[in-house]
Amino acid sequence: MTFAEIGLHEALLKALTDSGYTEPTPVQAQTIPAALEGRDLLVSSQTGSGKTAAFMLPALHRFASQERPAFAPAPRRTSNQERQSARALGHTRGNDRPRFQPAQPKMLVLAPTRELALQVTAAADKYAGQLRRLKAVAILGGMPYPKQMELLSRNPEILVATPGRLIDHMESGKIDFSQLQILVLDEADRMLDMGFIDDIEKIISATPASRQTMLFSATLEGTVGQMARKVTRDALTIQVDAAHTKHENIEQRMHFVDDLSHKNRLLDHLLRDVSIDQALVFTATKRDADTISDRLNIAGFNAAALHGDMHQGARNRTLSAMRRGQVQILVATDVAARGIDVPTITHVFNYDLPKFAEDYVHRIGRTGRAGRNGLAISLVNHAEHFNVKKIERFTKQMIPVEVVAGHEPTRRVPTGNGRPGGKPNGRPAWKSGDNRGHGKTAPAGRSEARTGKPGAAKHDGFVRAPHREGAKAPRTGPTGGNRRTYGDR
Ligand code: AMP
């Protein structure tokens, strides 16, 4: 099936050709025709499957064939009653003239994170490139209110929003959903995980019952399934890929580590692989994302951090730098990295394993985008082995264990179940001799820091000084420049 056979608007076909899309992805082939019929949809599909176009194209097709009503009617005298109700809503500034006409979007896309929302907005702009008059704007937490008011004052047809900030604007009368035709809940499972259920229900109750609702989620089971059924009518369920679908183009590996210092040395070693174009390193905490990014920069890498404590402007700048190739290694937390779509990310590293197995699937899906291959490497402490088991059960895939010569773990790596096991060299990491004496105490409670070996407990492997220049020959990486190691001292 081609996009033309689906019957999409000429202007969209042109935009798709310009984007280099030759045929619909499986989720698009199933979703677009049903969406064009106006059906409510519950779609379970994996990240990177082309789900954004699956809901955006039919919406744009519908709007392209509709006349746009004039937004700003000619000024007319306001009645006393209107003036009173405007005052009650706080819309006036003393002179009784409406200060702000609420935006009346035709489509609302709710997304869990700012990054995903920005990506959806960018996709809408790309696909609507040939359709004049259609505007999409993102309404996000962290963005200055005046800027958002300015965006809303343009009365965009498409609003892409994170729930919290949208509610703020709804409550201050800046948005009127009476003209809403299409509601999309993107990554609904994630929005529920993040505690947005009340906000979502509040938003949905402000939209017309006549709307078309499309819900996209990694899973349609449990709470998401219940909500999905509540907010849709006679919905068609499309199950393209379950969340645990094999990422066949993504090779997965894991390395066992003894402690933080070992983990840092190994990360340093692995990041020097010349086949890395760009890499994403996941950490469990925002603090670690900052620390590791700083240490990687000191070690000569071109790294940046991305996490939820950063202002939106800084997050956007970092992502743009990543897209332009100015940043090679992005060290990020789950929330910030969700939705990142940078096709040149060749490697994903789990510096820390994710809390939930679903997140593992989302994380590794940041590589192998747009038909490319990717490599996902997890650095695992022996105590976390049960977490690996959980992930393997979820993905129904075994993650092979690898051992790097010179970076072997001291403990024998778990084998069995067909798992290829690595052979430890029997030489404790703390005895490698060059990682003692620069002590920075590892964060309390991190089990990998408590090895009980002399020296090891006091190291996170990051602190360079006093640095032995030449301890490891600097190499010139793919982005150029000599790099020094960290953690291998
Ligand atoms: P998504 O799942 O919406 O995040 O899309 C994942 C990636 O696939 C994005 O980079 C899209 O630009 C790309 N993409 C979406 N649809 C197609 C298509 N039909 N052919 C090729 N690439 C696509």
Side-chain angles (χ1 to χ4, degrees):
M1 189 189 281
T2 63
F3 285 114
E5 281 162 1
I6 292 178
L8 285 173
H9 194 282
E10 279 298 324
L12 295 174
L13 294 179
K14 167 100 178 56
L16 292 171
T17 310
D18 292 349
S19 304
Y21 299 179
T22 48
E23 56 177 355
T25 64
V27 69
Q28 291 163 3
Q30 288 196 55
T31 304
I32 298 173
L36 287 173
E37 284 174 18
R39 298 237 10 211
D40 279 4
L41 301 175
L42 303 181
V43 187
S44 148
S45 68
Q46 73 181 66
T47 173
S49 59
K51 63 186 167 61
T52 314
F55 60 75
M56 201 47 86
L57 292 173
L60 293 172
H61 175 93
R62 188 198 287 201
F63 303 147
S65 28
Q66 286 172 349
E67 275 288 314
R68 179 179 164 78
F71 168 55
R76 61 180 177 85
R77 286 181 70 85
T78 15
S79 69
N80 272 340
Q81 198 186 358
E82 281 170 325
R83 274 195 290 273
Q84 274 167 12
S85 59
R87 258 199 301 270
L89 285 167
H91 291 176
T92 59
R93 204 188 257 150
N95 62 0
D96 282 0
R97 297 186 71 136
R99 193 173 78 193
F100 194 95
Q101 186 125 17
Q104 295 184 319
K106 292 181 183 179
M107 177 182 197
L108 170 66
V109 181
L110 286 179
T113 64
R114 302 178 245 194
E115 277 69 27
L116 182 61
L118 285 173
Q119 211 166 285
V120 170
T121 314
D125 285 342
K126 179 165 80 173
Y127 304 137
Q130 305 289 322
L131 294 166
R132 263 170 264 131
R133 297 175 310 166
L134 272 175
K135 288 188 294 288
V137 305
I139 296 297
L140 315 165
M143 198 191 258
Y145 276 89
K147 171 73 186 158
Q148 293 193 335
M149 307 272 282
E150 197 266 314
L151 291 173
L152 289 173
S153 72
R154 297 185 209 164
N155 195 27
E157 286 78 4
I158 301 166
L159 271 193
V160 186
T162 50
R165 181 58 66 93
L166 185 69
I167 297 249
D168 291 350
H169 286 295
M170 284 165 62
E171 287 179 344
S172 57
K174 306 294 184 305
I175 302 169
D176 162 13
F177 283 126
S178 61
Q179 304 303 311
L180 195 86
Q181 299 175 26
I182 300 174
L183 169 70
V184 175
L185 303 176
D186 197 6
E187 300 199 357
D189 54 328
R190 191 68 184 171
M191 287 199 278
L192 296 194
D193 282 352
M194 291 168 74
F196 285 134
I197 181 78
D198 292 342
D199 287 350
I200 293 172
E201 285 181 351
K202 195 167 186 175
I203 293 165
I204 294 181
S205 66
T207 64
S210 57
R211 66 174 192 270
Q212 177 183 22
T213 307
M214 294 185 257
L215 180 144
F216 289 74
S217 176
T219 171
L220 294 173
E221 286 153 22
T223 352
V224 191
Q226 285 162 20
M227 183 190 72
R229 281 184 290 278
K230 233 165 80 183
V231 302
T232 53
R233 282 177 311 172
D234 184 27
L236 178 71
T237 300
I238 296 176
Q239 196 107 23
V240 180
D241 298 305
H244 49 72
T245 299
K246 289 183 180 180
H247 278 297
E248 272 162 0
N249 56 334
I250 301 169
E251 186 185 339
Q252 302 173 56
R253 293 180 195 162
M254 69 171 156
H255 292 265
F256 279 96
V257 294
D258 295 324
D259 52 30
L260 270 182
S261 177
H262 184 197
K263 193 190 259 193
N264 292 331
R265 291 197 307 277
L266 188 57
L267 179 67
D268 180 285
H269 173 87
L270 295 169
L271 284 174
R272 284 166 203 281
D273 179 347
V274 286
S275 71
I276 294 179
D277 189 345
Q278 283 175 298
L280 188 51
V281 178
F282 280 99
T283 62
T285 67
K286 299 165 194 169
R287 206 173 139 198
D288 275 355
D290 279 332
T291 310
I292 292 167
S293 153
D294 287 349
R295 298 302 175 184
L296 287 172
N297 278 308
I298 291 168
F301 292 96
N302 190 355
L306 187 78
H307 57 69
D309 274 356
M310 290 163 61
H311 289 300
Q312 189 57 39
R315 283 162 75 164
N316 293 347
R317 280 193 296 280
T318 303
L319 269 179
S320 304
M322 185 78 179
R323 286 205 180 90
R324 287 196 301 269
Q326 290 162 343
V327 165
Q328 196 205 4
I329 300 161
L330 193 61
V331 189
T333 55
D334 274 307
V335 168
R338 195 157 181 108
I340 288 179
D341 181 20
V342 180
T344 38
I345 294 177
T346 48
H347 291 59
V348 167
F349 292 90
N350 288 314
Y351 180 85
D352 295 309
L353 281 179
K355 232 167 150 181
F356 303 106
E358 287 102 315
D359 287 335
Y360 176 85
V361 177
H362 280 289
R363 284 182 178 190
I364 71 170
R366 300 301 113 212
T367 181
R369 310 284 291 177
R372 300 174 192 218
N373 292 325
L375 180 57
I377 299 178
S378 299
L379 305 181
V380 181
N381 184 268
H382 293 270
E384 297 172 312
H385 192 226
F386 77 100
N387 276 345
V388 175
K389 288 264 166 245
K390 260 181 14 195
I391 291 167
E392 289 179 335
R393 265 199 304 276
F394 183 76
T395 60
K396 299 190 170 61
Q397 282 174 297
M398 202 70 137
I399 309 174
V401 180
E402 293 258 326
V403 176
V404 175
H407 294 274
E408 299 87 344
T410 51
R411 285 177 56 179
R412 178 167 286 281
V413 301
T415 53
N417 277 349
R419 182 193 295 296
K423 202 174 163 283
N425 72 350
R427 188 166 184 239
W430 58 271
K431 281 196 175 162
S432 57
D434 53 2
N435 64 344
R436 275 170 287 170
H438 327 304
K440 177 174 165 189
T441 310
R446 296 201 76 135
S447 57
E448 55 262 63
R450 295 194 299 264
T451 60
K453 309 282 187 208
K458 291 218 166 92
H459 287 281
D460 65 4
F462 283 127
V463 182
R464 284 180 52 232
H467 182 66
R468 282 200 299 126
E469 293 296 345
K472 180 168 173 178
R475 257 175 57 184
T476 304
T479 53
N482 285 339
R483 291 169 172 175
R484 281 170 295 184
T485 61
Y486 73 94
D488 198 9
R489 292 177 286 282

